[in-house]
Amino acid sequence: MFNTLFGTALLASGAAALNQLLEREHDAKMRRTQDRPLPSGRLTTDAVLLIGASCGALGLIYLALTVNLITAILGGLTLGTYLFVYTPLKRITTLNTVIGAIPGALPPLMGWTAARGEISSEGWSLFAILCFWQLPHFLAIAWMYQDDYAKAGFVMLPVVDPTGERTGRQALCHTLGLLPVSLFPFLCKMVGPLYLAGALVLGLGFLWCAFQFSRQLTLQRARTLFFASIIYLPSLLGLMVLDKS
């Protein structure tokens, strides 16, 4: 477990640093990111490149040597799709959020392969939960900072959807889809009835927040949906740990 967490932390640190390197000019245009180390001038591009590449490479090697090869391969896929697919697509198409959910959802699958040494339906159920969860989570953020994203040239859905009709509908639909997907671990016999009951309660609460956001596209509703997403995910995973079969 330590080796998996440590290797994944190195990999995530490398990905975060390299992402900020690729987006440094865009980050400088947004209020929420202009104080990051590169736009603020606290670090140089060479330093961030060295740190990011080193952390990413060391993380992959560490996972391969101390965990297993399949987890390292999934880690490499996460790093590659995050940096070279999702990141450039943010300036091209609103589908970047959907595509970006893939590298965002791979780490739980990495945890499964680290423990079991194989990709199975149980691991895919964890992947699916994270995929669906990310859409309402990120759309809430994008709605709150749509002006910032527009200034930076990011093609986020709220930027091209000023009325918010599509944004609200997408957030609601993916939260609705998350509800049955969150029951997959129970169907796979990974967890028991406590998880089932908790997943239904959490899912309905999250869905209600998404419904309210879709009806009233205000800053307050977006914040409520964002915080609901932050509460939902660790609560669901905590239930999974408590009620594991």
Side-chain angles (χ1 to χ4, degrees):
M1 182 177 182
F2 171 81
N3 289 331
T4 303
L5 291 173
F6 184 68
T8 304
L10 282 173
L11 190 62
S13 299
L18 293 173
N19 173 259
Q20 291 190 31
L21 177 65
L22 293 172
E23 296 189 334
R24 61 192 182 280
E25 294 178 3
H26 305 279
D27 284 347
K29 299 174 183 178
M30 296 196 295
R31 182 170 51 86
R32 63 185 289 262
T33 55
Q34 63 188 8
D35 195 44
R36 284 178 173 176
L38 279 169
S40 65
R42 298 198 304 274
L43 287 177
T44 65
T45 55
D46 289 343
V48 174
L49 177 61
L50 177 62
I51 292 168
S54 298
C55 284
L58 287 172
L60 291 175
I61 294 169
Y62 190 88
L63 288 171
L65 294 178
T66 65
V67 183
N68 56 49
L69 186 58
I70 191 170
T71 303
I73 291 172
L74 287 172
L77 183 62
T78 304
L79 183 67
T81 52
Y82 179 67
L83 292 176
F84 304 116
V85 180
Y86 167 62
T87 296
L89 282 179
K90 288 163 70 175
R91 296 183 292 279
I92 299 173
T93 173
T94 58
L95 291 176
N96 70 77
T97 308
V98 177
I99 295 168
I102 296 172
L106 281 172
L109 184 58
M110 291 169 60
W112 183 264
T113 60
R116 295 298 182 94
E118 64 177 2
I119 298 178
S120 62
S121 58
E122 294 93 339
W124 283 120
S125 71
L126 300 176
F127 172 86
I129 288 171
L130 264 290
C131 265
F132 276 86
W133 171 84
Q134 284 176 88
L135 272 296
H137 169 77
F138 186 76
L139 286 174
I141 296 174
W143 185 259
M144 288 190 290
Y145 295 102
Q146 57 182 303
D147 292 339
D148 258 6
Y149 283 121
K151 288 177 186 175
F154 289 130
V155 189
M156 301 302 175
L157 184 57
V159 173
V160 301
D161 176 37
T163 65
E165 182 181 347
R166 290 168 59 197
T167 303
R169 186 169 63 245
Q170 288 285 331
L172 180 61
C173 288
H174 284 91
T175 311
L176 182 61
L178 177 61
L179 186 58
V181 167
S182 69
L183 306 183
F184 285 179
F186 177 77
L187 298 176
C188 293
K189 302 187 186 306
M190 295 167 60
V191 290
L194 175 64
Y195 171 85
L196 176 63
L200 286 171
V201 171
L202 288 168
L204 289 171
F206 194 14
L207 182 59
W208 175 251
C209 292
F211 174 68
Q212 291 290 84
F213 171 67
S214 69
R215 289 183 65 228
Q216 296 179 312
L217 291 153
T218 63
L219 188 60
Q220 183 56 47
R221 292 296 188 190
R223 281 202 187 100
T224 300
L225 180 60
F226 170 73
F227 285 117
S229 72
I230 294 298
I231 294 168
Y232 173 87
L233 188 61
S235 299
L236 188 77
L237 298 178
L239 275 172
M240 202 176 293
V241 172
L242 288 173
D243 198 32
K244 65 183 184 295
S245 296

